[in-house]
Amino acid sequence: SGRHRVPRATVQLLAPVGDPEKVICVGLNYHDHCQEQGAKVPKEPLIFSKFPSAITGPFDDIVHPQDTSELDWEVELAAVIGKRGRHIKEAAVLEHVLGFTVANDVSARDWQMRRNGRQWLLGKTFDTFCPLGPAIVTKEAVADVHNLWIRCSVNGQRMQDSSTRHLIFRVPALVAWVSRFVTLVPGDILLTGTPAGVGVFRKPPVFLKRGDEVQCEIEELGTICNRVV
């Protein structure tokens, strides 16, 4: 109605889903991201997770842990589950998706790639390592989720610039795959992977430091911007 509005500057936007049951992530899911690290294109989705406690707001700070010196960025399209399901058929997946939002899969590369037995979990799930927002855009409002530009900038310098059309496994395939193993419930979040341009594979590598500002944006979905502290 327009009668119940407050100025954006007077409010703090929280993550659109603050405490989901599951935060499911996908690795190596863009062709250009595989190429930049010399990795083979996966034959099946590579699934890992973050703990829900990693979620933070779209404009909140990313806390740089003392335990890492290799903090990195990853802009990602995130799908939000809206309907419970198990063994979901690809053709029925969108019946189970509420909408989409922007995520930053912040990563401590030393913990992801060399420590903790090279299991990814700890390097991915420090507190504040999943900025999310600015809102859930319902699936009906997105013309084609697999044809959106997706970008990340650090201190105003463009680092990632790609399109969701380069996804290896698209949203229907990913949701169907994950639902083979676990029951998906409303509020579950699925991060679908990041394109090329992350810091660790640059020559020389570039990592985030305190004071940096990371902006992640996806066409039609909006922008999140987080300062590293």
Side-chain angles (χ1 to χ4, degrees):
S1 66
R3 290 182 298 155
H4 305 285
R5 293 177 178 267
V6 293
R8 172 69 66 88
T10 67
V11 299
Q12 176 190 8
L13 284 184
L14 305 178
V17 181
D19 188 24
E21 182 178 290
K22 294 182 282 295
V23 181
I24 303 159
C25 308
V26 185
L28 297 175
N29 200 30
Y30 279 78
H31 290 280
D32 55 4
H33 186 48
C34 292
Q35 292 169 0
E36 73 174 345
Q37 57 189 292
K40 293 182 179 179
V41 174
K43 295 182 179 179
E44 297 173 335
L46 176 60
I47 304 297
F48 62 99
S49 67
K50 290 177 176 279
F51 293 133
S53 54
I55 292 175
T56 193
F59 305 106
D60 291 343
D61 292 336
I62 296 168
V63 177
H64 192 310
Q66 294 181 347
D67 299 281
T68 184
S69 58
E70 299 182 1
L71 193 66
D72 208 347
W73 59 85
E74 294 190 7
V75 60
E76 306 208 6
L77 167 73
V80 182
I81 299 300
K83 177 183 176 183
R84 183 184 184 93
R86 178 85 195 275
H87 297 295
I88 303 168
K89 302 296 183 184
E90 282 194 35
V93 160
L94 289 184
E95 299 173 16
H96 293 263
V97 172
L98 171 66
F100 304 96
T101 193
V102 182
N104 185 353
D105 178 15
V106 182
S107 305
R109 300 299 189 187
D110 38 7
W111 283 94
Q112 177 191 359
M113 296 179 169
R114 297 190 302 279
R115 304 188 65 176
N116 193 41
R118 296 185 179 180
Q119 296 190 49
W120 290 11
L121 177 64
L122 289 184
K124 294 285 191 174
T125 203
F126 284 90
D127 289 353
T128 73
F129 271 26
C130 190
L132 202 65
I136 298 170
V137 179
T138 56
K139 63 192 176 201
E140 295 84 2
V142 181
D144 181 359
V145 75
H146 299 112
N147 189 29
L148 304 174
W149 53 252
I150 178 170
R151 297 170 179 163
C152 177
S153 299
V154 178
N155 299 327
Q157 180 180 351
R158 185 70 50 79
M159 296 296 190
Q160 294 179 277
D161 192 346
S162 189
S163 169
T164 57
R165 67 175 179 271
H166 299 308
L167 281 164
I168 297 168
F169 301 101
R170 295 186 165 196
V171 172
L174 292 173
V175 173
W177 175 261
V178 172
S179 75
R180 290 173 55 178
F181 304 93
V182 296
T183 300
L184 295 174
V185 301
D188 282 351
I189 298 169
L190 175 66
L191 276 61
T192 60
T194 199
V198 297
V200 69
F201 298 122
R202 292 178 173 269
K203 297 179 182 180
V206 177
F207 296 112
L208 295 169
K209 59 187 183 299
R210 292 176 182 86
D212 285 347
E213 188 174 84
V214 186
Q215 180 170 294
C216 297
E217 53 183 332
I218 301 178
E219 184 180 7
E220 297 185 29
L221 304 186
T223 302
I224 64 176
C225 189
N226 307 89
R227 182 171 293 276
V228 180
V229 299

